[in-house]
Amino acid sequence: MIALVALLQPLAVALGAPLVLGLTRQVRARLEGRVGAGVGQPWRDLRKLAGKQRVRPTGTTVVFLAAPVLLVGTTLAAAVIIPLVGVSPLDRAGDLFAVVGLLLTGTVALTLAGLDTGTAFGGMGASREVTIAALVEPSILMAVYALSLPVHSTSLAAIVTAVSADPGRVATPAAVLAAVALGVVVLAETGRLPVDNPATHLELTMVHEAMVLEYAGPPLALLEWAAAMRLTVLLGLLANLFLPVGLATAVTGAPSVAALLVGLAAVAAKVSVLAVVLAAGEVALAKLRLFRVPELLAGSFVLGMLAVTASYFLITPTG
Amino acid sequence: MSTPPEAADRRALEVSPGQLGTAAAGLLDQGHRLALAAAHDEGETLRVVYLFLAGARPDVPEMRTELSVQVPAAAPHLPSLAGASFPAGRFEREMHDLFGLIPDGHPLPRRLVRHAHWPAGWYPMRRDAGPPPPFSAAEPYPFLTVTGPGVFEIPVGPVHAGLIEPGHFRFSVVGESIVKLKARLWFVHRGVEKLFEGIDPVRGTELAERISGDTSTGHAVAFARAVEDALGVRPPAEVDRARVLLVELERIYNHVADLGALANDVGFGIANAHAQRLREQALRLNARVTGHRLLRGATGPGWARLLALPDPVELGRLAAEAGELAEICLRNSIVRDRFAGTAVLGTQQAGELGCLGPVARASGVRGDARWDHPSVALPGGPVVHSGGDVLARFLVRRDELAFSAELVAGLCRDGLPLAAGAALGRAAGTTAGAAAGAAAGAAAGAAAGAEGAQPRAGVGIVEGWRGTIVHRVELADGLLRRVKVVDPSWFNWPALPVALSGAIVPDFPLVNKSFNLSYAGNDL
């Protein structure tokens, strides 16, 4: 039964991610006084793109072709490991560091594809993405480290199980600081405001969109899908690291179908709430000047650092 | 608004090519600016007219001085004025590309209007130019290549990701910092000035409305005034006041869209959503006032016609909401940070480049044709901010919008006669025979027709929402012989790269939007 988690999670992410994206857009549209295209619009867009002719820019290599597949693959792999619906049996295959590594692999594949097109925009987007990634990764690692210190393990299952057993852990200064640091990092990693503007048509300001400008048709559909899945996976991770309510854990033995359904509903609810909060927050935000983005991410890094320090000083010796 | 402004002090001087430099320098020293330079093909000779303007001061009426020079068409050499006036240098390059005039001593005698595919030696505005020859890309039209360690080129456009007019921008960058920006425009050359030749002023008005879609009424009014000036007709004061109303309505709907677009370019989408809503309200108001959302068909030589007066309450509400919108934008610290200090255009730079309109007034240059070349005496004075950055350009638009709404409301309260507009002879204006439309205009038109081939020239000036629009027409036999159109964008485009030096690439769209220049008005 537990093997189901490893199947159910990527399936749920793959199907649900466009809806999460649609939800953020719809919430934003309504808050701005627009009607909005509906929650299902990203799915309709994907269907439209998937049905289009394949066009490949001249001079591009296998790097360009492989990037969308790699991006989708790494994101789905992360979805297998991360405890979203329940604690995955494949948890031993990868810890938080592995998740970070998987997501970064996807990012690097995309930046290489951006460079592979040989256009100014691809290069520009890649350069900006790498700058941001170089600042994001240390913050993630710091926050992860702070979370793993109390449980003496970087295993996601261990962290999540410990928090489920003792929800009071979330209220420690270390956990709060780590949560904020991770929250900022998720914004940067998924290309949301104030770091990147997912809705812009201004090619000179783009980060993520600049790298994928040369894609069209089915590969573009894959990229858009992967971007939506990354957002969903990261929101799910954020939610379950700090509020693993409803998660089908192995504490009570093998989870039943009912427990899995509860877990699915719980993670869907949590991700939806986070998506709504994200969209609502974005309405009040504008895009930072590119040179101010490092300041924001440095702030996130400092929070992660403080979280680690706090974990050391405020750790309860459990032996 | 009761006392009509004093009549302009006009002069038209014939000078020889040798005297041109001294005469122009003298006028520039007296505070004139070069507003327009137009070449005219007279067969054996080419005649070039330079129009210098100086704004009205207290007790001093506005000055309009024309210098005209004749050069033989076979050897069309002129001394360049580029050293004395930057805009003159650009007018000379334009005249070279379209007429084949050769400015002697020009510091940058490169192509301007005609891209590489236009064959050398073919000048489209010459009377004997004929149909365009086959295009080839054989002519040199290079970009300046910036070299150095770490310098890269980013070519952008002319096809963009959004709905933007075509313009090619070549950035030379180190990292994200702009070392040099070259804007290449002139992708929309439609031959507008050529299309004006030989048509009557009624058709001419329709063409003028289509020079730049968002400045329909601005160009229509400038054209109408130029024709009236050529015919020696002064339309009734009601016409002038109706035109003020139309031009201000155009300013309102464009400025409110710009406020939102500036916010949108920094990712503050909610402000744009509401600005678009307000713009739509303004467009519907326009439709009720004139029957056309872009205010077309409401004025022409000798007449102006309104279907209804705008509701001052509705207009006041719109202006209040726009003001609140601007306030919300400026209260957002990220938006303010993006606007403040970005792409500063200094007062001296704006002055020397000859900038006009909100761009100039955001850099502390006090030029505004509504007071410099008044048709109706207006209260107050130009909105001026001195920051020169994106924030200042935002603030100028905000304040001008508020002023315009008040002005229109004032005009409505004073009671603008709709019927008088109708009585100005809309019906007469539609027939080509009575070109000038108005009863008085028709008479003058007939007089002009009787006078025969001797062309009569006139100048029309209006402060459109982008800045001062100047039209100069020459009429012969009641038909347009030559129309020269100068949109303020012509003067403001060179300021964009200047303001951007030292800025970063991702700030370009915002800065470009803060200038919001017309491609179509620049390239006729």
Side-chain angles (χ1 to χ4, degrees), chain A residues 88-163:
Chain A
S88 166
L90 291 173
D91 176 66
R92 270 156 297 174
D95 55 6
L96 248 177
F97 287 105
V99 171
V100 174
L102 278 171
L103 293 179
L104 188 61
T105 308
T107 305
V108 171
L110 200 57
T111 54
L112 288 178
L115 289 174
D116 193 45
T117 59
T119 63
F121 291 121
M124 202 164 64
S127 132
R128 289 174 187 168
E129 180 82 2
V130 168
T131 309
I132 292 172
L135 293 161
V136 160
E137 301 311 325
S139 308
I140 297 191
L141 293 177
M142 274 295 156
V144 166
Y145 190 45
L147 291 175
S148 58
L149 271 174
V151 294
H152 305 291
S153 166
T154 57
S155 155
L156 282 162
I159 297 173
V160 167
T161 313
V163 176

Side-chain angles (χ1 to χ4, degrees), chain B residues 51 60 77 94 98-99 160 179 228 274 356 379 407 411 463 481 504 510 512:
Chain B
L51 173 66
V60 182
H77 286 268
E94 184 196 35
L98 300 180
F99 284 90
H160 297 268
V179 179
E228 289 158 5
H274 285 280
L356 297 172
L407 187 57
L411 282 168
E463 185 72 12
R481 196 156 173 282
I504 59 174
L510 174 66
N512 193 22

Side-chain angles (χ1 to χ4, degrees), chain B residues 70-363:
Chain B
Q70 302 254 11
V71 292
H77 286 268
L78 262 182
S80 172
L81 301 180
S85 152
F86 175 78
R90 285 172 43 89
F91 278 120
E92 285 163 0
R93 285 169 69 188
E94 184 196 35
M95 288 191 286
H96 173 264
D97 282 4
L98 300 180
F99 284 90
L101 269 161
I102 300 164
D104 289 329
H106 195 291
L108 280 173
R110 296 196 298 248
R111 285 177 172 232
L112 184 73
V113 182
R114 294 189 304 145
H115 286 190
H117 56 260
W118 294 78
W122 184 72
Y123 301 109
M125 285 297 287
R126 292 269 188 117
R127 291 201 186 279
D128 57 359
F135 283 166
S136 66
E139 304 302 323
Y141 192 36
F143 281 100
L144 176 69
T145 311
V146 179
T147 53
V151 178
F152 284 88
E153 269 192 359
I154 306 175
V156 186
V159 180
H160 297 268
L163 283 174
I164 313 170
E165 280 189 87
H168 177 85
F169 300 94
R170 189 70 64 98
F171 296 85
S172 298
V173 298
V174 174
E176 296 282 359
S177 302
I178 300 170
V179 179
K180 181 166 177 67
L181 165 63
K182 180 76 193 151
R184 178 161 293 176
L185 309 169
W186 295 283
F187 286 92
V188 284
H189 192 82
R190 295 145 292 163
V192 169
E193 290 178 0
K194 192 89 172 172
L195 290 174
F196 270 114
E197 288 177 3
I199 61 174
D200 62 68
V202 175
R203 291 288 314 280
T205 309
E206 291 170 5
L207 186 55
E209 285 175 339
R210 281 150 186 85
I211 289 171
S212 180
D214 52 18
T215 320
S216 289
T217 224
H219 278 289
V221 171
F223 176 77
R225 284 188 183 151
V227 172
E228 289 158 5
D229 189 32
L231 297 176
V233 179
R234 176 93 188 151
E238 288 80 14
V239 171
D240 273 331
R241 279 160 55 199
R243 284 176 183 165
V244 168
L245 182 124
L246 291 168
V247 172
E248 297 307 321
L249 285 178
E250 190 164 80
R251 198 182 320 278
I252 289 170
Y253 91 77
N254 279 300
H255 275 2
V256 75
D258 274 0
L259 292 180
L262 276 166
N264 195 44
D265 280 7
V266 296
F268 197 50
I270 187 166
N272 190 39
H274 285 280
Q276 290 295 327
R277 178 175 61 78
L278 294 175
R279 175 176 183 266
E280 180 59 30
Q281 286 178 7
L283 290 176
R284 289 180 187 179
L285 185 92
N286 292 349
R288 284 198 298 279
V289 172
T290 65
H292 195 288
R293 286 159 61 85
L294 300 179
L295 302 161
R296 285 180 185 163
T299 187
W303 61 274
R305 172 198 58 120
L306 303 177
L307 298 179
L309 286 182
D311 177 6
V313 178
E314 185 187 350
L315 209 60
R317 205 183 56 234
L318 201 151
E321 283 197 51
E324 190 190 351
L325 188 77
E327 211 43 51
I328 290 171
C329 290
L330 295 176
R331 269 210 308 270
N332 187 306
S333 58
I334 302 180
V335 173
R336 202 174 179 110
D337 179 56
R338 291 292 304 273
F339 285 0
T342 304
V344 176
L345 182 71
T347 307
Q348 196 191 349
Q349 290 170 324
E352 284 176 359
L353 293 170
C355 290
L356 297 172
V359 171
R361 292 193 285 276
S363 291

Side-chain angles (χ1 to χ4, degrees), chain B residues 23-34 52 81 84-85:
Chain B
L27 286 168
L28 292 170
D29 284 345
Q30 289 166 32
H32 285 66
R33 74 175 183 95
L34 178 63
F52 291 86
L81 301 180
S85 152

Side-chain angles (χ1 to χ4, degrees), chain A residues 28 31-32 34 120-121 124 128 193-194 197 201-205 283-292, chain B residues 154 156 160-162 171 176 265-270 273-274 332 334-335 337-338 504-509:
Chain A
R28 184 159 182 187
L31 288 178
E32 287 181 353
R34 294 184 284 121
F121 291 121
M124 202 164 64
R128 289 174 187 168
L193 286 172
N197 181 3
H201 64 267
L202 302 166
E203 53 269 62
L204 287 168
T205 67
V283 170
L285 279 179
K287 187 174 182 290
L288 281 175
R289 192 162 187 258
L290 186 68
F291 285 1
R292 287 236 192 269
Chain B
I154 306 175
V156 186
H160 297 268
F171 296 85
E176 296 282 359
D265 280 7
V266 296
F268 197 50
I270 187 166
H274 285 280
N332 187 306
I334 302 180
V335 173
D337 179 56
R338 291 292 304 273
I504 59 174
V505 175
D507 276 345
F508 170 76

Side-chain angles (χ1 to χ4, degrees), chain B residues 8 40 82 291-292 377 407 435 484 511:
Chain B
H40 303 73
H292 195 288
L407 187 57
K484 174 65 193 160
V511 177

